[in-house]
Amino acid sequence: MPIYVDKNHELFHLQSKNSSYIIQIVRGYAAHVYYGPKLRQGSNLGGMLKYELRSSFTPNTVPDDKTISLDTLPQEYPQYGSSDFRSPGYQVKLENGSRITELVYESHAIYAGKPELEGLPAVYVEQEREAETLELTLADHVTGLKVVLCYSVFADFSAITRSVRFENGGEETLALERALSASLDFADSRYEVLYLSGAWARERHIQRRRLAPGSTSIGSRRGSSSHQLNPFMALVRPETTEHTGDAYGFSLVYSGSFMAEAEVEQFGMARLQIGMNPFDFSWQLNPGEGFQTPEAVLVYSDEGLGGMSREYHRLYRTRLCRGVHRDRERPILINNWEATYFDFNADKIEEIAKAGSELGIELFVLDDGWFGRRDKDNSSLGDWYEDRRKLPGGLADLAERVRATGLQFGLWFEPEMVSPDSDLYRSHPDWCLHVPNRRRTEAREQLILDMSREDVRTYVYERLSDIFRNVPISYVKWDMNRNMTEIGSAALPAHLQRETAHRYMLGLYGLLERITTEFPDILFESCSGGGGRFDPGILYYMPQTWTSDNTDAVERLKIQYGTSLVYPVSTMGAHVSAVPNHQVERTTSLSFRGDVAMSGNFGYELDLTRWTEEEKEIAAQQVKDYKEIRGLVQQGDLYRLLSPFEGNETAWMFVSPDKSEALLFYFKVLAEPNGPLQRVQLAGLDAGKDYQIGADGEVMGGDRLMAAGLPVSSLHGDFSSMWVRLKAVE
């Protein structure tokens, strides 16, 4: 884990568990030398960076050495306007209207541990020995601007975190117009770029394509991380597979608008950058003030995409997610949304809870429709008072009735929103995001509360905390069902309006910190029309997210597979819903739906009171089985075996850290006549151990299972599946 300093070569060598990252100061500029497999300290690292004059059009940054130019030098945090024509890491506007700054090395500091980021979520350590941090201070001597590049490396993870702190040490006000979290120059561009794309109900599908001259850019301008694109990008070699080859992951711990870009320049180098989206962003830095960027988490793996994913999973599960629920097994729940939508009363809710109790379910979640006069989605958001028409005894009475059945009680909120048809909006029409003299565009017949305002946050805190103190709630589903339009705040002056979206996120994070700290025993689950805000920033406050509003099991194979590229299974909510499915009208078996949902945080979202005895029997067995395997599903190492993006079959498995136990899940979407005898090659087992297949099945060697595979050809019919448990034997 140590960070070494070679004073002779002005070189910094950062070593994580399995990777090295090397920075060198070249004539005052912070140059990037290397990122990849771990290197020995003491080998000749000082001569790795080579310089040469590449073109007569290359500007001479260093007049007395024409081989050095920012146009060709691989850099740690590039600037624009002083000879580098590639995408910059930052840009600042001065009072005289110019946009030129030039950062050179001033100092550095190395210390044990990892600092918190002021007002922002970030990966953390529990003991100083877990990480070491380098702060590299660069300065622009004309303006007094100082930029601190912060790098933390970990002893137990092949991960490096990067963030940037801007400090205005001069006498004039600066306007920060671009402030990315990380920029990294690769020596060549023989890579493929990989990212996650989609839409509502079709989130996080894997995209992979070759880099070419020019830019591959993804991002969100929606005010949230979005259904459409996720704040993650990876570079992989063309030959990289799920199990072998180089993979470089870049993940942003932020829930607002973001940008990630891979640029190939004229000489074949590739620059990858990630951070807050600079579109419509500006931040005023007065003398003496600072600005902190969100954190980027870099992971390198030479064990393919699976190795990269498992590094992210272990890191995010144990050092991003927090609180008492981080390491606990998550409860099996029943949610009433697709069972009743807005049409329910206390008796109906109690009836569903009783049916769930008989199956062994542990938690009931009351979804939308319990407050104000919320009979459909066009009113009452913001009026967080129970509807006594539906709940004559109020929430406390309903919670006790549910708890009397043996289930815990959970509740849905959408705290960041307001309905124009609400008492809150009629009292405070200026509390929503809006700009003067323009329409207030509605989506889902609602507007967004301005979380940059302290009075708005105070109101939301008071309403929610009053409920949490007086109702025995074990779980909260925190929803957010639209993206930002007319981004402006009545509480900010004209020259700060482009700060609104980021101030919103800082305000939201502050509110979440306050609430989750004050009510630590509540399990919070994030939701945004399903997976519209499935990002590391939100996981810092809520350790799980509703993966998608699409509960069709076939669609969920792709959604959950793609999500697992970065995010641990313990963060993924996965439910069995009714058929025909409410999103795609597909009918699949209860067993198939259950097997897909049991590959995440398991639950049901339908009317249990309408089930046949056969369905109840199947579900009771699913609940019983999941209670036995959920520790391994939620906390084990995930190995993806067959991709739903590449064929008719999907397979993944979960392996305990000591490799003494494993679970294989196999899914076949469509039946084939006279198909081949299918075997699935397993992964992650101990080649030297023998494993019993199922409770009383054959014993096979781990080496055999990984090399020759396990037969799975006995399935029949469309939408078929199986899972099997493997245990090591002496």
Side-chain angles (χ1 to χ4, degrees):
M1 183 193 67
I3 297 174
Y4 298 99
V5 180
D6 181 341
K7 294 182 179 179
N8 292 330
H9 296 97
E10 295 186 281
L11 185 143
F12 303 90
H13 181 194
L14 290 64
Q15 286 184 339
S16 72
K17 182 180 180 181
N18 295 311
S19 66
S20 283
Y21 190 109
I22 300 175
I23 305 163
Q24 188 170 7
I25 306 303
V26 177
R27 301 296 290 264
Y29 300 107
H32 178 73
V33 177
Y34 174 85
Y35 181 36
K38 192 172 184 176
L39 302 178
R40 291 182 294 110
Q41 173 60 18
S43 58
N44 183 20
L45 304 179
M48 295 179 69
L49 198 59
K50 303 296 183 183
Y51 327 107
E52 61 182 36
L53 179 64
R54 307 299 300 274
S55 166
S56 60
F57 270 75
T58 299
N60 303 129
T61 308
V62 180
D64 62 354
D65 187 346
K66 294 184 178 181
T67 67
I68 299 176
S69 172
L70 296 185
D71 192 29
T72 57
L73 188 70
Q75 294 170 66
E76 283 300 308
Y77 203 60
Q79 60 223 9
Y80 180 79
S82 56
S83 75
D84 188 348
F85 299 101
R86 296 166 288 178
S87 292
Y90 77 100
Q91 191 163 27
V92 173
K93 183 178 179 181
L94 282 60
E95 287 183 353
N96 64 11
S98 67
R99 284 87 57 209
I100 307 302
T101 56
E102 190 164 18
L103 299 178
V104 294
Y105 170 81
E106 182 176 88
S107 64
H108 71 271
I110 297 173
Y111 52 88
K114 181 181 185 295
E116 295 182 353
L117 299 189
E118 183 178 0
L120 287 166
V123 174
Y124 61 89
V125 296
E126 293 184 338
Q127 300 179 23
E128 283 190 348
R129 63 173 180 78
E130 295 180 20
E132 197 163 58
T133 296
L134 165 68
E135 289 191 348
L136 198 61
T137 300
L138 312 178
D140 176 55
H141 297 302
V142 173
T143 62
L145 173 69
K146 293 189 178 182
V147 176
V148 182
L149 308 183
C150 185
Y151 305 78
S152 293
V153 294
F154 296 84
D156 298 326
F157 303 98
S158 186
I160 297 172
T161 63
R162 289 191 58 177
S163 66
V164 182
R165 188 170 70 251
F166 293 83
E167 300 172 354
N168 186 354
E171 297 181 354
E172 67 174 278
T173 297
L174 304 175
L176 187 60
E177 297 188 330
R178 183 182 179 99
L180 301 185
S181 298
S183 180
L184 196 151
D185 289 341
F186 289 81
D188 67 86
S189 56
R190 197 180 66 84
Y191 289 99
E192 295 177 341
V193 62
L194 188 148
Y195 58 94
L196 301 172
S197 73
W200 172 78
R202 185 171 43 80
E203 297 91 342
R204 289 173 299 286
H205 284 207
I206 297 174
Q207 306 295 332
R208 180 171 175 171
R209 65 174 186 258
R210 286 292 297 266
L211 285 184
S215 296
T216 299
S217 181
I218 66 169
S220 168
R221 294 180 292 273
R222 297 169 178 266
S224 71
S225 49
S226 85
H227 297 86
Q228 288 71 24
L229 292 157
N230 197 261
F232 165 80
M233 183 176 274
L235 292 186
V236 299
R237 292 298 188 185
E239 62 271 17
T240 296
T241 68
E242 180 65 31
H243 305 296
T244 63
D246 290 337
Y248 296 85
F250 296 75
S251 174
L252 186 66
V253 186
Y254 189 60
S255 308
S257 297
F258 75 94
M259 184 195 76
E261 181 179 72
E263 179 186 17
V264 178
E265 51 85 76
Q266 59 181 328
F267 301 116
M269 288 194 295
R271 171 171 290 176
L272 197 145
Q273 300 179 319
I274 193 167
M276 294 168 49
N277 199 322
F279 176 81
D280 200 36
F281 165 80
S282 181
W283 194 273
Q284 181 172 296
L285 271 182
N286 295 317
E289 292 182 345
F291 180 86
Q292 174 66 56
T293 74
E295 181 172 83
V297 181
L298 285 58
V299 163
Y300 167 75
S301 170
D302 61 0
E303 297 179 351
L305 296 175
M308 178 194 72
S309 296
R310 286 184 290 278
E311 284 295 315
Y312 275 121
H313 294 176
R314 286 190 287 262
L315 181 65
Y316 283 177
R317 189 176 65 238
T318 64
R319 291 298 180 268
L320 177 70
C321 296
R322 302 178 299 162
V324 298
H325 294 283
R326 185 191 74 180
D327 302 322
R328 288 181 183 174
E329 294 181 354
R330 308 291 166 76
I332 302 170
L333 65 82
I334 173 66
N335 182 296
N336 73 297
W337 179 239
E338 290 194 17
T340 66
Y341 293 104
F342 297 102
D343 185 16
F344 61 84
N345 57 32
D347 291 340
K348 179 61 177 179
I349 296 304
E350 184 179 15
E351 186 182 6
I352 295 175
K354 286 180 178 178
S357 179
E358 293 170 359
L359 299 176
I361 291 172
E362 299 158 314
L363 168 67
F364 177 87
V365 179
L366 178 62
D367 212 282
D368 196 354
W370 58 266
F371 54 93
R373 297 187 68 85
R374 183 80 163 172
D375 296 324
K376 53 183 180 178
D377 63 2
N378 65 351
S379 74
S380 301
L381 287 173
D383 298 342
W384 301 111
Y385 301 90
E386 60 260 76
D387 184 351
R388 293 283 177 155
R389 298 172 304 150
K390 298 178 181 179
L391 309 175
L395 280 173
D397 172 72
L398 179 65
E400 291 302 339
R401 290 170 67 174
V402 168
R403 285 158 58 91
T405 69
L407 273 64
Q408 301 173 61
F409 182 69
L411 197 58
W412 177 96
F413 291 87
E414 194 171 1
E416 299 165 64
M417 300 294 152
V418 62
S419 300
D421 181 11
S422 67
D423 292 340
L424 179 64
Y425 187 77
R426 284 184 281 271
S427 299
H428 300 284
D430 63 327
W431 275 14
C432 68
L433 294 177
H434 69 282
V435 297
N437 305 316
R438 298 291 178 184
R439 74 163 182 268
R440 301 182 181 192
T441 303
E442 295 179 20
R444 206 170 180 247
E445 300 188 72
Q446 61 195 54
L447 299 167
I448 303 178
L449 289 173
D450 182 0
M451 287 291 164
S452 73
R453 296 178 58 144
E454 185 175 357
D455 50 0
V456 172
R457 298 194 302 272
T458 298
Y459 170 81
V460 174
Y461 165 78
E462 289 176 349
R463 287 307 314 129
L464 269 60
S465 61
D466 181 66
I467 294 172
F468 296 162
R469 292 190 189 100
N470 293 289
V471 181
I473 291 174
S474 301
Y475 166 103
V476 164
K477 181 180 179 181
W478 183 299
D479 213 341
M480 191 279 287
N481 279 320
R482 63 156 295 180
N483 295 136
M484 293 181 183
T485 57
E486 293 85 45
I487 302 175
S489 173
L492 291 175
H495 66 287
L496 299 184
Q497 287 298 317
R498 291 175 71 188
E499 299 182 4
T500 302
H502 184 56
R503 287 183 180 273
Y504 180 103
M505 291 313 311
L506 295 177
L508 175 63
Y509 288 150
L511 176 63
L512 290 174
E513 181 71 25
R514 184 179 185 185
I515 288 177
T516 57
T517 300
E518 188 168 337
F519 301 97
D521 294 324
I522 296 177
L523 172 58
F524 286 85
E525 179 176 271
S526 171
C527 179
S528 176
R533 201 163 62 185
F534 203 132
D535 59 68
I538 218 71
L539 290 177
Y540 183 76
Y541 305 98
M542 308 188 208
Q544 62 188 58
T545 298
W546 179 225
T547 313
S548 176
D549 277 350
N550 189 342
T551 51
D552 172 64
V554 175
E555 289 297 311
R556 273 302 188 102
L557 291 174
K558 289 183 177 179
I559 293 169
Q560 291 173 207
Y561 188 101
T563 302
S564 76
L565 202 68
V566 189
Y567 303 103
V569 171
S570 62
T571 66
M572 286 190 246
H575 298 171
V576 173
S577 63
V579 291
N581 176 263
H582 291 193
Q583 289 79 44
V584 299
E585 300 294 325
R586 193 183 348 254
T587 296
T588 57
S589 72
L590 182 55
S591 294
F592 185 79
R593 283 174 278 154
D595 287 351
V596 175
M598 284 198 292
S599 298
N601 289 329
F602 185 52
Y604 295 88
E605 192 153 332
L606 38 69
D607 191 346
L608 301 175
T609 66
R610 297 185 177 184
W611 265 359
T612 65
E613 290 303 315
E614 181 183 4
E615 288 172 320
K616 291 178 183 178
E617 186 176 329
I618 293 172
Q621 186 62 49
Q622 288 175 339
V623 170
K624 180 177 182 293
D625 289 339
Y626 191 71
K627 287 178 179 178
E628 293 179 1
I629 67 173
R630 64 179 159 188
L632 185 52
V633 170
Q634 295 169 8
Q635 303 291 328
D637 291 329
L638 174 68
Y639 290 82
R640 295 180 296 263
L641 307 177
L642 296 173
S643 170
F645 296 100
E646 297 175 0
N648 189 42
E649 299 162 296
T650 302
W652 48 59
M653 61 186 295
F654 305 93
V655 182
S656 63
D658 64 0
K659 302 186 182 299
S660 65
E661 188 178 7
L663 283 166
L664 167 68
F665 282 82
Y666 171 78
F667 308 91
K668 191 169 187 176
V669 175
L670 297 178
E672 297 176 85
N674 294 315
L677 297 176
Q678 181 65 29
R679 294 173 176 268
V680 176
Q681 287 182 276
L682 307 193
L685 302 176
D686 186 332
K689 292 182 185 290
D690 290 328
Y691 293 87
Q692 184 169 23
I693 314 302
D696 51 8
E698 187 177 352
V699 174
M700 300 183 187
D703 51 354
R704 170 184 167 182
L705 289 166
M706 291 189 289
L710 183 70
V712 291
S713 299
S714 60
L715 300 181
H716 300 285
D718 293 342
F719 316 126
S720 57
S721 62
M722 59 164 279
W723 65 271
V724 63
R725 195 170 185 176
L726 294 79
K727 288 192 174 182
V729 296
E730 294 297 330

